[in-house]
Amino acid sequence: MLKVVLADDENKVILLMQKLIDWNALGYEVVGVANDGPHALELVQTQQPQLLITDIRMPGCDGIELIRRAKELQPQLHFIVISGYRQFEYAQSALKYGVEDYLLKPLKQEELSSILLRIKDKLGEEAAVEFQLKQNSERQQERFIDTLKNAADHDQPFINAAQADTEFGLHFADGCYFAALVKPDISNAAQHLNGYQLMMQHTLEIVRQGVQTLADEYAAALLKEGVAILLYMREYQPVEVKQCFTKIRKEIEKQRDLFWDIRSTVCIGSRKDRLEQAGVSMREALWLCRDRLCHVQPWRDAEIEEPVCSGHYLMDAAQKKRFQDAAEYLDANRFAQELESSYRYISRRQPLTGQMLEDWFRQVLEASLYGMQQNGSVADRFARTMIEDFWRCTNAQDIFLLLRQNIRQEILRLEGEKALRETRPITEAKRYIQQHYQEALRLEDVSSAVGFNATYFSALFKKETGQNFMDYLTELRVNKSKELLCRDDLSVQDVAELVGYRDLKYFSRLFKKITGVSPSDYKKLYR
């Protein structure tokens, strides 16, 4: 519904307008009425209507002045003016202030309805255009922030102000540039992923609303690391900046209705006088954001505490190899032991920074991935999801649990796939033996039928069944012969041939060795 305010110094005119039109049917809602200019302005400010219908002459503030001041309060507001014939020329002068249309007294239902429908159509088009422009602007900001993040990650110079204007429609000049990262944290975010993503989207909107009154120009976008912002101010105002981001942080933490333990951190990069240096500021903001994993503070400022961006952790080759081996052999318990040991070691490092924790996390992940890939396909999405989940962690313990749970789960998945791969050919081999046991069957025949080298197949068959091939075949033939010996119409010789033995003496000797009785005695027992 479109909101409308009615303003006229005569109550009977307001009542007439209210009764003359079925406002709801036309898609409007009358949210307030006023008999003077100041009250009408107050309604514009509090109700934020899309349309104001006002008499050209109003006590306390005439119609022209009311329109001018209401436009200052709400630039997108539309107006219809009401005038008597004698004020027609006066009413026409209001058109230069953007008045949509005018009505002459006495008011006619058809005229007012027609104007309201036309304005509704126009407001719909304007809303669609405004939404499209907003989306285009936000996409440009996302592209700009991605470019800035790339410059920060690779320690490269950023674009200049002219390029920012041409490529992204952002207008910068001489002044102060700095990057910021706003990072909300909640416990067990991965278990509440939909809620977490919704919270991050709300955070982006809170940041945009907060910084637009602070900065002369800005770009903001949602990254996996948090909400990243590049701000430009003609003159840096430290108190205003701190107040603005403190308000943003408090607004975020008001969402505790959904996330009872929400905590937010604001990380500010150092101030630069050229846009080309903004990548350095963003790199510092990112470093400070990582460091919240070790040092919990709501406000981190690179001008106050210099980030040690060169401080990294390098895992020794022997430890990497142990992670690779545990993953390659699909030994989940061994991996868990190695991780526990490695975590105890990294936790005792002094000083320990968030950057070092990320280095440790990535090296454990990379070594384990390499090992697991020797046993099967690990989806590219697995590594990307792990890195996204890293940024949802709130401390070092969360990172340890993330690695332990997810890599162990992937190892078990690969172990199951491997078992299935090894079991499938044995199942096929058993089926083949069942179909051909009456023939002169050899190991080479069966291994060839399932597509394996005979030596490898023999070892695999023994591993999966606990018997070598010949023992399995003999047991199958003897069991089949037991069934056949119970039939009156078959002799022992017939049974021997039916289960694949042409030599009766050999069959009899083998049968007695396995069952303890000769085929003839067995037949007598079960006749």
Side-chain angles (χ1 to χ4, degrees), residues 420-472:
L420 190 61
R421 286 197 305 271
E422 292 178 348
T423 303
R424 188 179 295 117
I426 302 307
T427 303
E428 293 173 2
K430 287 180 177 179
R431 187 181 300 116
Y432 185 85
I433 295 168
Q434 290 275 354
Q435 294 167 349
H436 298 274
Y437 71 91
Q438 297 164 310
E439 304 168 12
L441 202 57
R442 300 176 306 154
L443 172 69
E444 288 75 13
D445 299 325
V446 180
S447 62
S448 177
V450 296
F452 279 92
N453 169 277
T455 305
Y456 175 73
F457 173 74
S458 178
L460 185 60
F461 193 89
K462 178 73 179 287
K463 176 186 173 185
E464 292 299 321
T465 65
Q467 294 175 293
N468 62 38
F469 166 73
M470 190 51 68
D471 288 343
Y472 179 85

Side-chain angles (χ1 to χ4, degrees), residues 253-293:
E253 292 178 355
K254 281 182 182 178
Q255 297 180 77
R256 287 195 176 103
D257 290 344
L258 292 174
F259 305 100
W260 59 93
D261 62 347
I262 189 170
R263 182 188 80 221
S264 61
T265 307
V266 175
C267 305
I268 305 287
S270 59
R271 273 53 101 193
K272 307 297 179 184
D273 57 12
R274 292 188 302 124
L275 184 59
E276 293 94 315
Q277 300 169 318
V280 175
S281 184
M282 177 57 76
R283 189 151 57 96
E284 293 168 341
L286 288 164
W287 189 97
L288 291 168
C289 186
R290 290 183 187 92
D291 204 50
R292 82 195 190 290
L293 296 166

Side-chain angles (χ1 to χ4, degrees), residues 19 29 31 52 67 78 86 92 111 131 212-213 244 260 301 383 401 403 421 459 489 519:
K19 295 181 180 297
E29 177 190 5
V31 294
L52 171 62
I67 291 165
H78 290 253
R86 283 176 295 179
Q92 278 189 313
E111 288 181 351
F131 178 75
Q212 65 185 359
T213 57
C244 173
W260 59 93
D301 188 342
L401 293 174
L403 287 167
R421 286 197 305 271
D489 60 329

Side-chain angles (χ1 to χ4, degrees), residues 144-145 148-149 152 158 176-182 211 217-220 223 227-233 236 241 245 266-272 274-275 277-288 299-303:
F144 178 85
I145 292 295
L148 176 60
K149 172 73 164 39
F158 191 44
C176 174
Y177 299 90
F178 64 98
L181 202 73
V182 177
V211 301
E217 183 65 284
Y218 78 93
L223 304 178
V227 176
I229 318 112
L230 189 283
L231 297 97
Y232 161 70
M233 302 174 69
Y236 185 76
V241 170
F245 280 100
V266 175
C267 305
I268 305 287
S270 59
R271 273 53 101 193
K272 307 297 179 184
R274 292 188 302 124
L275 184 59
Q277 300 169 318
V280 175
S281 184
M282 177 57 76
R283 189 151 57 96
E284 293 168 341
L286 288 164
W287 189 97
L288 291 168
W299 176 264
R300 307 292 298 270
D301 188 342
E303 297 278 352

Side-chain angles (χ1 to χ4, degrees), residues 71-199:
K71 269 283 189 184
E72 291 174 356
L73 290 173
Q74 192 176 338
Q76 302 304 316
L77 185 61
H78 290 253
F79 301 90
I80 298 173
V81 295
I82 302 170
S83 171
Y85 287 104
R86 283 176 295 179
Q87 290 90 36
F88 179 70
E89 290 182 4
Y90 186 46
Q92 278 189 313
S93 68
L95 296 176
K96 70 179 182 181
Y97 288 103
V99 169
E100 191 70 33
D101 214 325
Y102 60 87
L103 288 166
L104 298 177
K105 295 178 180 179
L107 301 178
K108 296 184 177 65
Q109 183 185 41
E110 297 81 4
E111 288 181 351
L112 181 54
S113 295
S114 177
I115 293 171
L116 288 171
L117 286 169
R118 179 161 48 80
I119 290 175
K120 181 185 175 184
D121 287 343
K122 185 173 181 179
L123 283 168
E125 292 172 3
E126 287 179 354
V129 170
E130 185 178 351
F131 178 75
Q132 188 62 49
L133 289 172
K134 182 174 183 289
Q135 280 211 318
N136 290 341
S137 172
E138 289 174 0
R139 280 195 290 268
Q140 290 288 68
Q141 289 187 34
E142 287 170 4
R143 288 179 52 239
F144 178 85
I145 292 295
D146 282 341
T147 307
L148 176 60
K149 172 73 164 39
N150 187 63
D153 288 343
H154 296 90
D155 197 14
Q156 296 172 345
F158 191 44
I159 60 175
N160 58 39
Q163 289 173 303
D165 191 356
T166 304
E167 295 179 28
F168 303 102
L170 295 168
H171 309 301
F172 299 113
D174 293 337
C176 174
Y177 299 90
F178 64 98
L181 202 73
V182 177
K183 178 60 178 173
D185 281 313
I186 61 168
S187 298
N188 303 315
Q191 297 175 24
H192 310 285
L193 197 52
N194 289 339
Y196 178 83
Q197 290 169 342
L198 180 63
M199 181 193 70

Side-chain angles (χ1 to χ4, degrees), residues 451-494:
F452 279 92
N453 169 277
T455 305
Y456 175 73
F457 173 74
S458 178
L460 185 60
F461 193 89
K462 178 73 179 287
K463 176 186 173 185
E464 292 299 321
T465 65
Q467 294 175 293
N468 62 38
F469 166 73
M470 190 51 68
D471 288 343
Y472 179 85
L473 178 60
T474 300
E475 185 179 293
L476 174 64
R477 285 172 167 172
V478 169
N479 286 335
K480 291 289 183 181
S481 69
K482 287 179 181 179
E483 297 174 17
L484 296 172
L485 286 167
C486 294
R487 290 171 53 177
D488 292 336
D489 60 329
L490 295 174
S491 68
V492 173
Q493 178 72 47
D494 294 333

Side-chain angles (χ1 to χ4, degrees), residues 287 291 294-295 308 311-313 346-357:
W287 189 97
D291 204 50
C294 301
H295 308 99
V308 188
H312 289 276
Y313 168 75
I346 190 71
S347 299
R348 289 195 293 264
R349 287 287 297 261
Q350 291 297 330
L352 177 63
T353 67
Q355 179 65 65
M356 290 178 180
L357 278 175

